[in-house]
Amino acid sequence: MRDILPALSAWYAAGRPFGLATVVAVSRSAPRDPGAAMAVGPDGEALGSVSGGCVEGAVFELAREVVADGGARLETFGYSDDDAFAVGLTCGGEVTVLVRPVSPALDPSFGALAASVSAGHPVTVATVTDGPAPRGAALAVRPADVSGTLGNEGLDAAVTADARGELALGVTGLRHYGPHGERRADDVTVFLHSFAPPPRMLVFGAIDYAAAVARVGDFLGYRVTVCDARPVFATPRRFPPGVEVVADWPDRYLRGTDTDARTVICVLTHDPKFDVPLLTEALRRPAAYIGAMGSRRTHEERARKLAAAGLGARELARLRSPIGLELGARTPEEVAVSVAAEIVALRWGGSGAPLSATTGAVHPARS
């Protein structure tokens, strides 16, 4: 959704209706997560993806149909052994897609939603997928205000409360309610799509490896900051556009920076006077990943100094050092791929083993 939002905003601002398809549920080995989106514009331009190519043709036609008739559709695509020509997922999974028309007349809240997402402000979009409430009705829920409606005040109130709770966790998924928001009923199904601000990647050490890691972090959707105590190296010209560059002592900068359970910290300074105080601070605060560059000898010496600084076994166990997966990487770009692979594997519980050497679903079931 974030990737295709500029085009959607332009169509919406011009008052040109478009069809928006959103994955609202998946099962088994489905290729995309809930929230994946595809749009079909007024001139037949298709943007985004809901399945990686398997059902896009059918979704394209549905999107054009809903724009023509003004009504939302909910379709489920799976794999058919009986009909080789049936539209479905060759991976054997199942994906449910909500396809709805969007225009200023049909969805007055979309403009505010687009502005919030573009600005990086937190917002959850609640959309009715099934039940007696109007299918496709949407509600944009922000921490301090709401726009749109799902059809009645009771349903709006219940969904708003849940949406704000899910927004704090960055959770996306289906929720069930009674016609007027009753909690112990499942007449109405609502898809809550949370747009939390992008997670942060903090890269310490303004070296060539840092520039490569910053590029791959930006590619993966992180808001990247590079920090180095040496102003001669901490210059924006050495890093990709959009990457924040800070000249400050690393541990001091980290002490003044908020981190959360999605934050990634990459320590590439490779210098004990920077590494030890920085990692002492990092390992005592929330973060999804903390990795440090260096040889195994460097790691052992660093671990001893961190223990002497008062870090316990549980804190030290959080440190991924030497940083990255064993890929035989040599160049800064190859090392960045190694680091990114470890971050992704840790995030989703991957083993890092070649898929050809594993069994089971390629896309494991989402928890």
Side-chain angles (χ1 to χ4, degrees):
M1 182 71 163
R2 293 182 194 274
D3 295 338
I4 63 176
L5 193 57
L8 307 191
S9 297
W11 293 335
Y12 187 85
R16 307 180 72 191
F18 59 89
L20 180 60
T22 306
V23 176
V24 298
V26 299
S27 65
R28 300 190 297 277
S29 186
R32 302 298 304 273
D33 284 325
M38 172 181 167
V40 177
D43 296 322
E45 181 183 6
L47 302 172
S49 172
V50 293
S51 75
C54 299
V55 303
E56 268 67 11
V59 172
F60 178 88
E61 295 301 331
L62 283 170
R64 300 192 73 170
E65 289 174 13
V66 301
V67 170
D69 63 30
R73 300 268 295 275
L74 187 70
E75 296 286 344
T76 297
F77 300 95
Y79 179 75
S80 174
D81 289 317
D82 301 324
D83 184 354
F85 296 100
V87 175
L89 303 182
T90 57
C91 59
E94 190 172 88
V95 57
T96 300
V97 181
L98 176 69
V99 188
R100 66 187 184 96
V102 179
S103 70
L106 293 171
D107 187 355
S109 68
F110 187 85
L113 158 68
S116 295
V117 176
S118 297
H121 298 156
V123 58
T124 292
V125 184
T127 310
V128 175
T129 65
D130 205 5
R135 177 175 288 164
L139 185 71
V141 180
R142 290 167 289 274
D145 62 80
V146 174
S147 57
T149 181
L150 303 183
N152 64 72
E153 291 184 3
L155 184 58
D156 286 351
V159 171
T160 295
D162 288 349
R164 286 183 173 143
E166 302 295 60
L167 182 58
L169 301 173
V171 174
T172 288
L174 294 173
R175 298 293 181 270
H176 303 278
Y177 305 89
H180 297 279
E182 297 88 345
R183 297 289 183 176
R184 297 185 179 182
D186 57 4
D187 305 78
V188 180
T189 302
V190 178
F191 179 62
L192 300 183
H193 189 182
S194 295
F195 292 90
R200 297 200 66 183
M201 173 182 278
L202 306 178
V203 182
F204 294 95
I207 60 177
D208 289 346
Y209 291 98
V213 170
R215 281 195 295 273
V216 77
D218 180 67
F219 176 76
L220 291 175
Y222 288 93
R223 181 163 66 93
V224 182
T225 299
V226 176
C227 176
D228 196 298
R230 302 162 295 180
V232 67
F233 295 114
T235 61
R237 285 186 297 177
R238 302 183 67 238
F239 296 92
V243 171
E244 180 187 27
V245 182
V246 175
D248 198 355
W249 205 262
D251 62 303
R252 180 170 61 194
Y253 173 76
L254 185 58
R255 283 196 300 273
T257 301
D258 291 333
T259 64
D260 60 27
R262 302 184 301 154
T263 303
V264 165
I265 299 174
C266 299
V267 178
L268 311 180
T269 46
H270 204 208
D271 185 331
K273 69 175 177 290
F274 295 125
D275 291 358
V276 173
L278 172 59
L279 288 169
T280 300
E281 174 67 24
L283 292 167
R284 288 172 170 163
R285 58 167 52 227
Y289 174 92
I290 304 170
M293 177 174 280
S295 66
R296 297 193 188 282
R297 179 178 178 180
T298 298
H299 167 70
E300 291 170 0
E301 178 63 22
R302 188 162 49 206
R304 283 195 291 271
K305 291 181 177 180
L306 290 170
L311 292 177
R314 178 175 296 180
E315 292 164 322
L316 291 173
R318 299 179 63 204
L319 179 60
R320 316 290 288 197
S321 175
I323 197 170
L325 296 185
E326 203 292 294
L327 303 181
R330 293 291 185 272
T331 68
E333 291 74 20
E334 290 174 344
V335 170
V337 170
S338 166
V339 173
E342 184 173 41
I343 291 170
V344 172
L346 185 64
R347 178 183 180 185
W348 297 111
S351 67
L355 287 172
S356 59
T358 64
T359 59
V362 172
H363 304 286
R366 278 74 172 173
S367 58

